Amino acid sequence: MKVAHSLLTVFAICLPMGANFAAQTPDAEYEAVAEEYMRGYLAAHPLQGTALGFHEYDGKIGDYSRLALDAELSRLRRFDDRLKKIDGGKLSQRQSIDLRILQAAIKKELFQMQEMSVFERNPMTYARAADVNVYIKRNFAPLEDRAHSIAAIESQVPNIIIAAKTNLNDVLPKPYVELAIKIAKGSSDFLKKNLVAAVAELKDERIRAEFQDSNRRAAVALADYGAWLEREKLPKASPDFALGEEKYQRLLAETELVGLPPAKILEIGMAELKKEQQAFAEAARKIDPGKSAREVFKQIQSEHPTPENLLPDIGKDLEQIRDFVTTHHLVTIPSEVRARVTETPQYRRATSFASMDTPGPFEKRATEAYYYVTPTENDWPEKQKEEWLTAFNYYTADVISIHEVYPGHYVQFLRLNASPASKVEKIFGSYAFIEGWAHYCEKMMIDEGYSGGTPTPSPTPKASATPGTTPTPKAKPSPKTSPTSNVDDIKRATKYRMAQADEAMLRLCRLCVSIKMHTRKMTVDEATKFFQDNCYYEEKPARTEAMRGTFDPGYLNYTLGKLQILKLRDDYKAQQGNEFSLQKFHNELLNHGMPPIRLLREIMLKDKSKWDKVL
């Protein structure tokens, strides 16, 4: 036995490094490459690693030095090339899909670094680099440990600002500079005020001193960065920010697998915008035939909470919305954990009305989820406060909650966490699928009768045809009012329909503005007017939307994704026949991670001829 053992040892030593007795399967070979890429990706984006729930990255922050950025770009190119050499035809269907999700994710990173030049042209990149919100909002570790991690991250902020001043081009796009100044100043205030308050219960004096020192240095560095941008970059900033048509088309083709040219998508968007405006006008006539649609909606917008009641009023309806989803069997919600309504952190307010902040799919301890709503600022003039609150009128506020929480983003990520999706599928997501789903939910919920109106005909078959489903009953009235007649019911339901149509017009305006700004030289002022004229926003929120379009051309994906999901639903319904139900469709849609919708068509449709017909 000893001789045999010795011979085996010698034989093993003599084998070439990495040799195997049996060749790896194509799936196993792909999985090894994918795992290697993800390790490198998370090492380069440790804050995202923590947010996903991988706490070996706690206390770490990305390296923004030129040397590190060049190394990361080289790594991305290397893996892009390696994945091209993998024959997807030899993989299982699941791994073939996985491969293309990963390829799209790498293409997105390459596009941002090479074509958008986010480290050379966008000063917001550095102003947002040290986002420590996850450490104070989720109790995944004792406060002392999280404060130590925050201190370690904050200690690197001065180096990040040095890197920003080194890496940024001499002349920058003016909208980027203006937003970066706001974000840098907001981040500095957040560190000095909100963050200090968040760790007030810290007992360990050594860690407290460590935190206070790093926090002060980070706040000073960010304030200095904002002042530097204002002094050195703003005076010579350029109005030029556009990608150009060729880059824009590549962005869609490489990251969302949508091959339609921007001009065609714009044509579809303008036609859809006209349809929504007509529906909006018809609904307005039902409410008050003596006024224009814009006048009617201005009256609806005036029905909003006070600044003090904004968050409580939004919060009180969340449970009713959730109940509607479950009792109408629209999608299975796999968790009883509720989202918490809270104010948007100061440093995020420059670019956000409302947003959902969910726990990562790999988080095991801290499962808190936050529904952020941006309030008015105390120092705003009364007119500005009033304009801001029009976007949170009672009807629109519920539609926003549908988008962000039930059954939108929060349910989407609850199902992601509970699904059998792979690691790649849980880490990398399609913008069009994520936002398209939430935007689709707005229309779907109103179509199904939410708000107390009579539901439109549901695609759900009779209960006898599909066991486990029930026909959609009439929705309960909202607790906001106590209707005394059928006329009141119809008027209220019509107000909800107008609010939903207005949100659709907003997203359609984003699509049109994104394409026009980046391929047809539309200016920020022209984009602001487009929002005012076509979805009836006041100047303040309209300009916020226009500014976002300068650095986020992908915000066309809200509508693009919604239209793709509606097309997929029609095709899936035709395929399933009497076996179709909304719950079945939605559950299946949300069971495969967050891939480009083109890939969901391959997964869910048997007819291969329909796979490429995304719109």
Side-chain angles (χ1 to χ4, degrees), residues 68-80:
L69 295 179
D70 289 344
E72 176 61 6
L73 181 57
S74 176
R75 190 185 75 88
L76 289 167
R77 289 170 175 164
R78 197 163 59 248
F79 274 95
D80 185 45

Side-chain angles (χ1 to χ4, degrees), residues 605-612:
L605 299 179
K606 299 171 185 176
D607 184 351
K608 294 184 180 182
S609 68
K610 294 181 178 180
W611 287 359
D612 289 322

Side-chain angles (χ1 to χ4, degrees), residues 116-138:
M116 297 184 73
S117 302
V118 293
F119 297 104
E120 293 79 29
R121 296 183 72 235
N122 192 342
M124 289 180 279
T125 302
Y126 302 94
R128 292 170 166 161
D131 182 354
V132 295
N133 191 49
V134 66
Y135 289 95
I136 60 176
K137 287 297 183 182
R138 298 208 172 87

